[in-house]
Amino acid sequence: MGCSSSPPAACVAAAILLAASLLACHHGCAAAAAVPTLSTASRWVVDESGSRVKLACVNWPSHLEPMLAEGLGKRPVGAIAGDVAAMGFNCVRFTWPTFLVTNASYSGLTVAQSFLRLNLTESLAGIRVNNPGFVDLKLIDAFKAVVSSLGEHDVMVILDNHLSKPGWCCSNTDGNGFFGDALFDPDVWVDGLTKMATMFAGVPNVVGMSLRNELRGPRQNANDWYKYMQRGAEAVHAANPRVLVILSGLQFDNDLAFLNSRPVNLSFTGKVAFEVHWYSFSNTQEWSSGNANQACARITAGIARRAFYLLDRGWPVILSEFGVDNRGGNTNDNRYYGCAAAAAADLDLDWALWALQGSYYLREGVLGLDEVYGVLDWAWCKPRNDTALRRVQALQRPLRGPGLAEAAPYAVLFHPVSGMCVVVRRRSPTPTLAQPFELGLGPCSETGAWEYSAQQQRLGLRDTAALLCLRAEGAGRPATLGVTCGDAMARWSLVSDSKLHVAVNATSSSSAGVSDSDGNGLLCLDVGADGRSVVTNPCRCLSADNSCDPQSQWFKLVSSTRSVVTKQTMLAQLPLKLKSWKIRSF
């Protein structure tokens, strides 16, 4: 069943794809050689030495009616855990329902009993083939076995209390939404948190506990939030002082704004973080019905006011759920992703992608439901969408933080919709003193150190023998690097509401031949037809237009202090006459 009954060639192909994913993130994915003990230092998550640990997680549900980690009927647990690590995720947000440890009618079940009571005979048969040792385990022991398997692959685990009664989450009226709801007894919840914290206190790869997923419903209010979330946090820390304690907000984990005027009051420090969720549907259909630049600016500002402001207050904020329909046909998701990825890169966020699973045993009454947001395909054999996986892998590498002061701060030109960055691609076929280089998209680990002066409108590569400025050469033509920095074609500004369009005003240039969609004569950085070259084209979708997609022209200037890795120094590539020139830098 699943990969276990696939033709050998299909399994080989799946293994090759996953191996390729591992190689793709070889230069800086967040996976560590050993699992650290985590704490916080201001807004950062750090290890025992005080160095940054970026949480690049994927969600793996175990909270639905069967109460078993999804996918064990498709693949051996060790193979799935190995795939998680191979794809560059260093962490799993592993979900669980309170009743797993507090309600005897659930906690006493074996895996076989749980599946048989739900008539999931086909899934149980798959578990017997792929994970025979799980069949007669109690559900909590099966949960522990999955955590252990992840630990064998040096994958950290955050235990997420997703809801009380097992099932799909979430609605305002499911009884699981807020303290005092029919299925959400605060005392039972604290008891469940305490039991789980105690149970995993000696398990090194359990590095955090998320107290409750997506508080919601008509009963929610800030006063009860403080009363019970602080109580839950204290209970977890008392039972297991080693783990991070992660607090969620109100309104389906979209709102932490109330903390602006009243911070949490806990007896411990250095172990507290917050989490927020961000999907396209968090803003209904704003992405597809409005102008993408204006939607990006408005929605990003909103989530900053509600949650990301806490970063500046010295608190880690984990984007613990985000993701898209990986089939690629959802316009709302497609426009949202580039904006969300730009924000995640700009803030260098810790995050957890929704989701790992390609399918479910049972979701909302449907057997074997396909999860279109899943990283893996329905059979759990291979990545569902290689392009989507590669672009999220670009966010796995930390860019700055404690222990990463390897270079003076510089900018990375990040292209969020592709997950790549602007790199020096090659020398022009006929280099001149003015235009010796062309640019392209490549791995962000291979970027140069860009520097932008908003006052001078100059964007160039530093740490070179001469100042090399980014230049536009005209509509549809490759962008270049050269030493001519003073004219209009080398003066760059951020021109759209999203601040993701990097443009020159080519109106006065006789060679540009340009008029953008708004008639402003602006040329924006863009991706060429080959999907790799960096060109300039008339700027698109700057305002008003709701029908066009600007994302090929979206570039984010992201701050980094990581060492700049190059195969050959820029100085070695410069024409001989240029090496002796002395041109002032910024």
Side-chain angles (χ1 to χ4, degrees):
M1 299 181 185
C3 290
S4 63
S5 63
S6 299
C11 287
V12 170
I16 290 171
L17 280 169
L18 287 168
S21 296
L22 179 58
L23 289 173
C25 68
H26 175 70
H27 293 293
C29 284
V35 173
T37 297
L38 302 182
S39 300
T40 65
S42 185
R43 60 147 293 187
W44 306 106
V45 176
V46 297
D47 64 15
E48 302 93 331
S49 70
S51 296
R52 168 88 190 275
V53 175
K54 181 169 183 173
L55 297 172
C57 314
V58 65
N59 282 271
W60 189 355
S62 188
H63 67 270
L64 281 83
E65 284 93 335
M67 290 177 287
L68 181 71
E70 302 292 338
L72 300 190
K74 305 286 189 184
R75 300 279 304 285
V77 64
I80 298 172
D83 290 351
V84 170
M87 291 185 291
F89 300 104
N90 66 358
C91 151
V92 161
R93 183 175 180 253
F94 195 30
T95 69
W96 60 281
T98 303
F99 290 179
L100 175 64
V101 291
T102 63
N103 188 311
S105 63
Y106 294 95
S107 61
L109 295 174
T110 66
V111 169
Q113 290 168 337
S114 179
F115 277 69
L116 288 173
R117 74 188 174 91
L118 295 166
N119 201 29
L120 298 174
T121 54
E122 185 176 347
S123 291
L124 181 58
I127 295 168
R128 291 188 190 279
V129 171
N130 289 293
N131 293 283
F134 276 71
V135 173
D136 295 320
L137 289 179
K138 291 289 184 65
L139 289 170
I140 190 59
D141 292 324
F143 189 92
K144 291 177 183 176
V146 175
V147 171
S148 178
S149 185
L150 290 166
E152 290 170 2
H153 292 84
D154 294 326
V155 176
M156 296 177 285
V157 173
I158 293 171
L159 303 178
D160 168 64
N161 179 237
H162 214 68
L163 73 180
S164 300
K165 182 181 179 180
W168 181 247
C169 181
C170 303
S171 83
N172 277 312
T173 58
D174 60 12
N176 285 284
F178 199 71
F179 308 105
D181 282 358
L183 298 170
F184 197 170
D185 183 320
D187 293 332
V188 173
W189 171 70
V190 171
D191 180 46
L193 291 175
T194 301
K195 286 178 176 175
M196 289 292 277
T198 303
M199 194 179 304
F200 288 95
V203 180
N205 67 311
V206 174
V207 298
M209 287 188 64
S210 170
L211 298 188
R212 187 70 173 197
N213 181 70
E214 296 196 357
L215 294 167
R216 59 196 180 276
R219 299 178 62 91
Q220 62 185 326
N221 65 88
N223 285 337
D224 281 344
W225 186 95
Y226 285 101
K227 177 180 178 180
Y228 293 117
M229 289 296 272
Q230 291 177 167
R231 180 180 164 195
E234 294 286 3
V236 167
H237 184 72
N240 186 351
R242 194 178 57 83
V243 295
L244 291 180
V245 180
I246 303 167
L247 285 68
S248 60
L250 301 173
Q251 299 294 346
F252 293 86
D253 209 0
N254 281 281
D255 186 8
L256 290 160
F258 53 91
L259 289 163
N260 185 37
S261 57
R262 181 183 170 189
V264 290
N265 182 17
L266 297 169
S267 65
F268 59 96
T269 59
K271 289 288 185 178
V272 178
F274 295 94
E275 62 179 321
V276 66
H277 294 176
W278 185 11
Y279 291 103
S280 69
F281 53 77
S282 302
N283 303 92
T284 60
Q285 297 298 309
E286 286 187 52
W287 295 100
S288 55
S289 63
N291 174 266
N293 280 295
Q294 293 170 335
C296 181
R298 181 174 61 253
I299 292 169
T300 301
I303 195 170
R305 287 192 302 271
R306 295 191 307 273
F308 293 148
Y309 76 94
L310 287 167
L311 296 168
D312 294 330
R313 303 287 180 88
W315 297 100
V317 179
I318 302 167
L319 181 60
S320 61
E321 284 190 27
F322 76 111
V324 297
D325 182 338
N326 283 316
R327 295 172 298 181
N330 185 317
T331 301
N332 217 44
D333 275 3
N334 293 345
R335 292 186 179 180
Y336 141 89
Y337 181 80
C339 182
D346 183 41
L347 298 172
D348 203 5
L349 292 175
D350 301 287
W351 50 264
L353 181 71
W354 187 273
L356 176 66
Q357 68 276 10
S359 56
Y360 299 88
Y361 308 116
L362 176 70
R363 174 178 152 183
E364 298 173 289
V366 179
L367 299 176
L369 183 71
D370 188 32
E371 174 53 272
V372 298
Y373 278 47
V375 173
L376 297 176
D377 68 350
W378 182 88
W380 293 65
C381 279
K382 63 182 186 298
R384 178 179 295 267
N385 184 322
D386 293 319
T387 300
L389 176 59
R390 282 194 298 270
R391 69 184 186 180
V392 80
Q393 284 174 333
L395 301 175
Q396 292 171 342
R397 182 177 188 256
L399 296 171
R400 52 196 170 95
L404 294 176
E406 301 165 353
Y410 62 89
V412 175
L413 263 172
F414 178 55
H415 187 246
V417 75
S418 68
M420 293 189 282
C421 291
V422 177
V423 300
V424 177
R425 189 176 184 185
R426 59 184 175 86
R427 276 181 59 172
S428 302
T430 55
T432 66
L433 290 178
Q435 299 167 9
F437 293 100
E438 289 185 2
L439 304 165
L441 294 181
C444 292
S445 58
E446 297 178 7
T447 184
W450 295 89
E451 197 162 50
Y452 178 59
S453 167
Q455 182 178 5
Q456 296 175 319
Q457 295 185 305
R458 187 178 292 164
L459 180 58
L461 278 178
R462 74 171 199 207
D463 303 334
T464 57
L467 174 63
L468 295 177
C469 295
L470 182 67
R471 295 187 51 78
E473 302 298 338
R477 298 178 64 184
T480 63
L481 284 171
V483 297
T484 305
C485 301
D487 65 330
M489 301 298 275
R491 290 198 289 267
W492 298 90
S493 57
L494 306 179
V495 296
S496 61
D497 288 349
S498 67
K499 303 301 182 186
L500 296 174
H501 277 89
V502 184
V504 298
N505 189 339
T507 304
S508 62
S509 174
S510 60
S511 63
V514 58
S515 178
D516 66 21
S517 59
D518 291 336
N520 292 322
L522 297 175
L523 284 175
C524 277
L525 287 184
D526 203 345
V527 180
D530 60 0
R532 288 279 178 168
S533 58
V534 175
V535 301
T536 51
N537 278 314
C539 298
R540 297 195 307 275
C541 323
L542 295 187
S543 62
D545 189 349
N546 302 343
S547 62
C548 66
D549 184 353
Q551 290 196 72
S552 72
Q553 294 187 344
W554 278 2
F555 290 83
K556 183 68 177 180
L557 288 162
V558 176
S559 179
S560 178
T561 57
R562 296 295 299 267
S563 59
V564 180
V565 179
T566 55
K567 296 179 181 178
Q568 185 178 12
T569 66
M570 292 290 294
L571 181 60
Q573 297 183 59
L574 288 171
L576 290 174
K577 291 182 180 179
L578 190 58
K579 291 181 183 178
S580 61
W581 286 22
K582 293 182 179 179
I583 302 177
R584 68 184 180 87
S585 58
F586 299 119

